[in-house]
Amino acid sequence: MIEVTGHEESIWGIQCSPSDTMGLVMRPQMCDPSASESNLPGNLPPAARHRFLDILSANS
């Protein structure tokens, strides 16, 4: 289990390095800031980018 305590509004993108080419990612959100594709790093593997975009569109 991973426990994180946040003190500011933020969105975190977490990817599993060994599995990110398969799209194993998650997006914990603290409070209610908005996120978009422009927040994603340019060097994401295609499957990870696709999964993050799915997550972002489901939460918009």
Side-chain angles (χ1 to χ4, degrees):
M1 175 169 53
I2 298 171
E3 185 175 324
V4 177
T5 302
H7 300 284
E8 297 180 23
E9 289 188 351
S10 59
I11 296 174
W12 294 74
I14 299 173
Q15 64 190 87
C16 173
S17 294
S19 304
D20 64 356
T21 57
M22 295 179 286
L24 183 58
V25 298
M26 68 176 164
R27 186 197 71 139
Q29 179 172 332
M30 297 180 200
C31 301
D32 195 27
S34 60
S36 67
E37 184 174 0
S38 65
N39 300 113
L40 299 177
N43 62 347
L44 281 175
R49 176 171 293 283
H50 180 75
R51 182 65 188 123
F52 271 124
L53 292 174
D54 286 347
I55 293 168
L56 291 172
S57 67
N59 291 302
S60 59

